[in-house]
Amino acid sequence: MSGILDGKIALITGGTGGIGKATCKRLTKMGARVVSTYLGESKAVEMREQMKEQGCNIAIYPCDVSDFDQCQALADNIQNDIGPVDIVVNNAGITRDTTMKKMTAEQWQAVINNNLNSVFNVTRAFIESMLERQTGRVVNISSINGQKGQFGQANYSAAKAGIHGFTMALAQEVARKGITVNTVSPGYIATEMVMAVPEEVRNQIIAQIPVWRLGKPEEIAALIGFLASEDAAFITGANFAANGGQHMH
C-alpha cells in the first residue's frame, strides 16, 4: 500500500469526522501529502494531535465549504503552500433531520448548502488545475439514503442523491483529460455519530443489514484509496454502494 500515491496531494473535506479521519490516515499511508479542512478550531487541534500520534502529518486549513469564495481562497492557499491538488475527496456534510411537515427553510438550505453546494464549490476550485495538468481524481461521498431515501431526511436524501448526478455529469466532461470522478455511498458506519445513537436503535439498524454489523470507517477509506489510485483509472461516473447489503441496486 505504501507509495501508491507518492508525490500526490490529496484534499479531504470534513476530515475531522469518522470517515474523514480514516481517509486522511489511509491516503497518508499510501504516500499522499494530505490536506484537510475544518470549521471548529478545537476539532482541528484534536485531529492534528491524533494524527501526529499515529504518525500522520496532516495540513489542516479553515474553510466553510458551503461558501464559494472561501473554497477559492482555500485552493489558492494550498497551491501556494504545498502545491497543486491531485485528489479531491468531497466528504464534508451535516444533518438536520425532521419530517417535511416540520422542516424549516433554514434546515433545508443548510443541508443543501453543506452537502451538495459544497461539492460544486470545492470541485470548481480545483478542477481547472486538474484539467491543465490532465490528471486528477474526484471522489464524492454520498450515502445509502441518497439511493433509497429515508424518513425524516428529505433534505439529506435530496442532497446526497444530487451528488451522484453531479458525479455522472462531471465524469463525462473531464474523462478525456485523464480525470476520474466517482461516488461512494456508505451505509451505516460505526462513526462517533452513529455510536451515539441509543443501543436499542443501533441494534434495530444492524438487524436490517445482511452482514449483521455496522461498517468500519477504515473500510470506506480503503475504497476511497483505491478510487484515488492509478489502479482505478478505467473507473469513472460510478456509484459504489458500501452498505453491507442493506440496499442492493
Side-chain angles (χ1 to χ4, degrees):
M1 183 171 69
S2 179
I4 293 172
L5 298 180
D6 276 356
K8 302 293 186 183
I9 298 171
L11 169 69
I12 295 109
T13 67
T16 58
I19 291 173
K21 274 192 259 192
T23 304
C24 286
K25 189 175 176 183
R26 180 79 179 194
L27 297 193
T28 298
K29 288 190 171 181
M30 292 173 73
R33 177 73 171 98
V34 173
V35 182
S36 189
T37 61
Y38 72 90
L39 265 182
E41 178 66 33
S42 60
K43 279 189 176 181
V45 171
E46 181 187 344
M47 181 185 172
R48 252 190 226 104
E49 292 307 312
Q50 285 179 350
M51 289 291 145
K52 275 184 186 175
E53 287 170 10
Q54 295 169 22
C56 299
N57 182 27
I58 309 291
I60 312 179
Y61 287 76
C63 182
D64 178 355
V65 292
S66 71
D67 185 303
F68 181 82
D69 292 335
Q70 286 194 37
C71 292
Q72 293 291 316
L74 173 71
D76 291 339
N77 290 335
I78 296 173
Q79 170 76 42
N80 293 334
D81 296 346
I82 302 172
V85 168
D86 304 287
I87 301 158
V88 169
V89 181
N90 285 304
N91 172 66
I94 63 169
T95 55
R96 296 289 184 270
D97 296 351
T98 188
T99 58
M100 179 58 68
K101 186 172 68 173
K102 296 178 182 177
M103 188 175 292
T104 65
E106 289 76 17
Q107 287 170 320
W108 171 268
Q109 207 61 55
V111 171
I112 297 298
N113 283 338
N114 282 279
N115 295 21
L116 181 57
N117 291 346
S118 65
V119 175
F120 165 76
N121 294 340
V122 173
T123 307
R124 180 66 183 83
F126 293 95
I127 199 70
E128 201 166 336
S129 170
M130 289 183 180
L131 288 166
E132 287 171 0
R133 290 177 290 122
Q134 298 195 26
T135 184
R137 296 283 183 270
V138 179
V139 183
N140 300 318
I141 309 305
S142 182
S143 166
I144 183 176
N145 294 338
Q147 297 179 302
K148 72 175 187 61
Q150 179 62 34
F151 184 96
Q153 285 196 328
N155 48 7
Y156 185 83
S157 296
K160 291 299 189 179
I163 284 173
H164 189 54
F166 176 91
T167 288
M168 292 188 290
L170 182 60
Q172 293 176 56
E173 292 181 23
V174 301
R176 290 188 180 181
K177 296 292 186 179
I179 301 164
T180 67
V181 189
N182 290 291
T183 302
V184 173
S185 292
Y188 287 90
I189 308 301
T191 60
E192 287 178 20
M193 183 174 69
V194 172
M195 296 311 289
V197 171
E199 186 177 2
E200 182 183 342
V201 176
R202 270 206 323 274
N203 289 339
Q204 289 173 359
I205 292 169
I206 291 169
Q208 298 170 27
I209 303 173
V211 301
W212 206 251
R213 66 173 176 86
L214 298 172
K216 301 172 186 174
E218 293 77 14
E219 291 172 318
I220 306 304
L223 176 54
I224 294 167
F226 167 68
L227 293 173
S229 75
E230 284 303 310
D231 289 337
F234 196 59
I235 301 170
T236 196
N239 189 355
F240 290 83
N243 59 46
Q246 187 176 2
H247 179 69
M248 301 183 188
H249 180 65

mmCIF file of all heavy atoms in Angstrom, residues 17-18 42 44 65-66 69 82 106 134 136 140 159 167 181 189-190 196 199 207 212 232 240:
data_model
loop_
_atom_site.group_PDB
_atom_site.id
_atom_site.type_symbol
_atom_site.label_atom_id
_atom_site.label_comp_id
_atom_site.label_asym_id
_atom_site.label_seq_id
_atom_site.Cartn_x
_atom_site.Cartn_y
_atom_site.Cartn_z
ATOM 1 N N GLY A 17 -14.311 14.212 10.875
ATOM 2 C CA GLY A 17 -15.314 13.181 11.142
ATOM 3 C C GLY A 17 -14.713 11.789 11.047
ATOM 4 O O GLY A 17 -13.536 11.612 10.711
ATOM 5 N N GLY A 18 -15.523 10.775 11.334
ATOM 6 C CA GLY A 18 -15.039 9.394 11.367
ATOM 7 C C GLY A 18 -14.487 8.907 10.041
ATOM 8 O O GLY A 18 -13.350 8.424 9.960
ATOM 9 N N SER A 42 -11.175 23.813 17.733
ATOM 10 C CA SER A 42 -10.902 22.781 18.737
ATOM 11 C C SER A 42 -10.825 21.400 18.098
ATOM 12 O O SER A 42 -9.967 20.583 18.436
ATOM 13 C CB SER A 42 -11.977 22.789 19.834
ATOM 14 O OG SER A 42 -13.248 22.533 19.275
ATOM 15 N N ALA A 44 -9.970 20.792 15.036
ATOM 16 C CA ALA A 44 -8.759 20.749 14.225
ATOM 17 C C ALA A 44 -7.538 20.434 15.077
ATOM 18 O O ALA A 44 -6.686 19.633 14.690
ATOM 19 C CB ALA A 44 -8.566 22.086 13.500
ATOM 20 N N VAL A 65 -16.995 25.037 3.571
ATOM 21 C CA VAL A 65 -17.140 24.539 2.197
ATOM 22 C C VAL A 65 -18.468 24.931 1.550
ATOM 23 O O VAL A 65 -18.638 24.760 0.341
ATOM 24 C CB VAL A 65 -16.947 23.003 2.130
ATOM 25 C CG1 VAL A 65 -15.507 22.634 2.447
ATOM 26 C CG2 VAL A 65 -17.917 22.281 3.058
ATOM 27 N N SER A 66 -19.400 25.473 2.345
ATOM 28 C CA SER A 66 -20.651 25.962 1.761
ATOM 29 C C SER A 66 -20.485 27.367 1.184
ATOM 30 O O SER A 66 -21.416 27.911 0.580
ATOM 31 C CB SER A 66 -21.769 25.955 2.809
ATOM 32 O OG SER A 66 -21.556 26.961 3.784
ATOM 33 N N ASP A 69 -16.495 31.530 -2.130
ATOM 34 C CA ASP A 69 -15.281 32.346 -2.075
ATOM 35 C C ASP A 69 -14.231 31.743 -1.151
ATOM 36 O O ASP A 69 -13.029 31.795 -1.436
ATOM 37 C CB ASP A 69 -15.618 33.780 -1.638
ATOM 38 C CG ASP A 69 -16.414 34.527 -2.688
ATOM 39 O OD1 ASP A 69 -16.314 34.170 -3.883
ATOM 40 O OD2 ASP A 69 -17.147 35.465 -2.325
ATOM 41 N N ILE A 82 1.683 24.312 -0.595
ATOM 42 C CA ILE A 82 2.050 22.901 -0.777
ATOM 43 C C ILE A 82 2.220 22.523 -2.243
ATOM 44 O O ILE A 82 3.187 21.863 -2.621
ATOM 45 C CB ILE A 82 0.991 21.983 -0.118
ATOM 46 C CG1 ILE A 82 0.872 22.323 1.380
ATOM 47 C CG2 ILE A 82 1.360 20.510 -0.304
ATOM 48 C CD1 ILE A 82 -0.257 21.622 2.089
ATOM 49 N N GLU A 106 -34.633 27.044 6.684
ATOM 50 C CA GLU A 106 -33.233 27.098 7.138
ATOM 51 C C GLU A 106 -32.628 25.692 7.218
ATOM 52 O O GLU A 106 -31.473 25.484 6.831
ATOM 53 C CB GLU A 106 -33.142 27.791 8.499
ATOM 54 C CG GLU A 106 -33.395 29.296 8.481
ATOM 55 C CD GLU A 106 -34.879 29.653 8.346
ATOM 56 O OE1 GLU A 106 -35.745 28.769 8.581
ATOM 57 O OE2 GLU A 106 -35.177 30.816 7.990
ATOM 58 N N GLN A 134 -3.989 17.628 -16.859
ATOM 59 C CA GLN A 134 -4.546 16.402 -17.440
ATOM 60 C C GLN A 134 -4.368 15.192 -16.521
ATOM 61 O O GLN A 134 -3.982 14.101 -16.957
ATOM 62 C CB GLN A 134 -3.945 16.140 -18.826
ATOM 63 C CG GLN A 134 -4.261 17.248 -19.812
ATOM 64 C CD GLN A 134 -4.012 16.873 -21.253
ATOM 65 O OE1 GLN A 134 -4.060 15.715 -21.630
ATOM 66 N NE2 GLN A 134 -3.757 17.873 -22.080
ATOM 67 N N GLY A 136 -6.084 13.734 -12.423
ATOM 68 C CA GLY A 136 -6.829 14.058 -11.209
ATOM 69 C C GLY A 136 -7.841 12.998 -10.842
ATOM 70 O O GLY A 136 -8.240 12.167 -11.665
ATOM 71 N N ASN A 140 -16.622 11.662 -4.518
ATOM 72 C CA ASN A 140 -17.704 12.335 -3.804
ATOM 73 C C ASN A 140 -18.394 11.356 -2.862
ATOM 74 O O ASN A 140 -18.812 10.281 -3.285
ATOM 75 C CB ASN A 140 -18.708 12.909 -4.802
ATOM 76 C CG ASN A 140 -18.063 13.922 -5.732
ATOM 77 O OD1 ASN A 140 -17.271 14.753 -5.298
ATOM 78 N ND2 ASN A 140 -18.392 13.865 -7.016
ATOM 79 N N ALA A 159 -29.942 15.994 -1.156
ATOM 80 C CA ALA A 159 -28.560 16.452 -1.372
ATOM 81 C C ALA A 159 -27.664 15.297 -1.782
ATOM 82 O O ALA A 159 -26.863 15.407 -2.725
ATOM 83 C CB ALA A 159 -28.035 17.117 -0.096
ATOM 84 N N THR A 167 -21.661 13.793 -10.096
ATOM 85 C CA THR A 167 -20.572 12.877 -10.459
ATOM 86 C C THR A 167 -20.686 12.431 -11.912
ATOM 87 O O THR A 167 -19.706 12.489 -12.677
ATOM 88 C CB THR A 167 -20.589 11.637 -9.541
ATOM 89 O OG1 THR A 167 -20.152 12.012 -8.236
ATOM 90 C CG2 THR A 167 -19.688 10.532 -10.057
ATOM 91 N N VAL A 181 -14.075 10.737 -11.912
ATOM 92 C CA VAL A 181 -14.995 11.266 -10.901
ATOM 93 C C VAL A 181 -15.930 10.134 -10.491
ATOM 94 O O VAL A 181 -16.635 9.575 -11.340
ATOM 95 C CB VAL A 181 -15.829 12.449 -11.449
ATOM 96 C CG1 VAL A 181 -16.612 13.130 -10.325
ATOM 97 C CG2 VAL A 181 -14.946 13.459 -12.177
ATOM 98 N N ILE A 189 -22.210 3.392 9.231
ATOM 99 C CA ILE A 189 -20.805 3.185 9.595
ATOM 100 C C ILE A 189 -20.630 3.508 11.075
ATOM 101 O O ILE A 189 -21.255 4.439 11.602
ATOM 102 C CB ILE A 189 -19.887 4.090 8.739
ATOM 103 C CG1 ILE A 189 -20.207 3.918 7.244
ATOM 104 C CG2 ILE A 189 -18.424 3.796 9.029
ATOM 105 C CD1 ILE A 189 -20.046 2.511 6.701
ATOM 106 N N ALA A 190 -19.738 2.774 11.734
ATOM 107 C CA ALA A 190 -19.528 2.945 13.183
ATOM 108 C C ALA A 190 -18.696 4.186 13.482
ATOM 109 O O ALA A 190 -17.578 4.115 13.981
ATOM 110 C CB ALA A 190 -18.863 1.702 13.763
ATOM 111 N N ALA A 196 -23.313 7.113 18.967
ATOM 112 C CA ALA A 196 -24.007 7.904 19.988
ATOM 113 C C ALA A 196 -25.506 7.600 20.024
ATOM 114 O O ALA A 196 -26.209 7.953 20.977
ATOM 115 C CB ALA A 196 -23.781 9.394 19.737
ATOM 116 N N GLU A 199 -28.358 2.198 22.064
ATOM 117 C CA GLU A 199 -28.011 0.835 21.642
ATOM 118 C C GLU A 199 -29.209 0.102 21.047
ATOM 119 O O GLU A 199 -29.077 -0.638 20.065
ATOM 120 C CB GLU A 199 -27.458 0.051 22.839
ATOM 121 C CG GLU A 199 -26.945 -1.325 22.450
ATOM 122 C CD GLU A 199 -26.329 -2.079 23.627
ATOM 123 O OE1 GLU A 199 -26.337 -1.541 24.750
ATOM 124 O OE2 GLU A 199 -25.861 -3.210 23.412
ATOM 125 N N ALA A 207 -30.033 -5.029 12.487
ATOM 126 C CA ALA A 207 -30.923 -6.128 12.097
ATOM 127 C C ALA A 207 -31.354 -6.026 10.634
ATOM 128 O O ALA A 207 -31.755 -7.016 10.027
ATOM 129 C CB ALA A 207 -32.149 -6.148 13.003
ATOM 130 N N TRP A 212 -24.931 -8.134 9.111
ATOM 131 C CA TRP A 212 -25.211 -8.167 10.558
ATOM 132 C C TRP A 212 -24.219 -7.353 11.391
ATOM 133 O O TRP A 212 -23.865 -7.695 12.495
ATOM 134 C CB TRP A 212 -25.248 -9.620 11.037
ATOM 135 C CG TRP A 212 -26.091 -9.844 12.267
ATOM 136 C CD1 TRP A 212 -25.650 -10.134 13.521
ATOM 137 C CD2 TRP A 212 -27.515 -9.773 12.366
ATOM 138 N NE1 TRP A 212 -26.702 -10.251 14.400
ATOM 139 C CE2 TRP A 212 -27.869 -10.047 13.717
ATOM 140 C CE3 TRP A 212 -28.546 -9.517 11.455
ATOM 141 C CZ2 TRP A 212 -29.193 -10.056 14.173
ATOM 142 C CZ3 TRP A 212 -29.859 -9.533 11.899
ATOM 143 C CH2 TRP A 212 -30.168 -9.803 13.243
ATOM 144 N N ALA A 232 -7.492 2.520 -10.493
ATOM 145 C CA ALA A 232 -8.899 2.799 -10.800
ATOM 146 C C ALA A 232 -9.064 3.720 -12.003
ATOM 147 O O ALA A 232 -10.118 4.326 -12.183
ATOM 148 C CB ALA A 232 -9.575 3.412 -9.581
ATOM 149 N N PHE A 240 -20.391 3.589 -5.929
ATOM 150 C CA PHE A 240 -20.044 2.383 -5.178
ATOM 151 C C PHE A 240 -20.829 2.327 -3.866
ATOM 152 O O PHE A 240 -20.611 3.144 -2.967
ATOM 153 C CB PHE A 240 -18.542 2.352 -4.884
ATOM 154 C CG PHE A 240 -17.708 2.110 -6.107
ATOM 155 C CD1 PHE A 240 -17.387 3.174 -6.952
ATOM 156 C CD2 PHE A 240 -17.277 0.849 -6.433
ATOM 157 C CE1 PHE A 240 -16.646 2.968 -8.098
ATOM 158 C CE2 PHE A 240 -16.524 0.622 -7.575
ATOM 159 C CZ PHE A 240 -16.208 1.681 -8.412
#
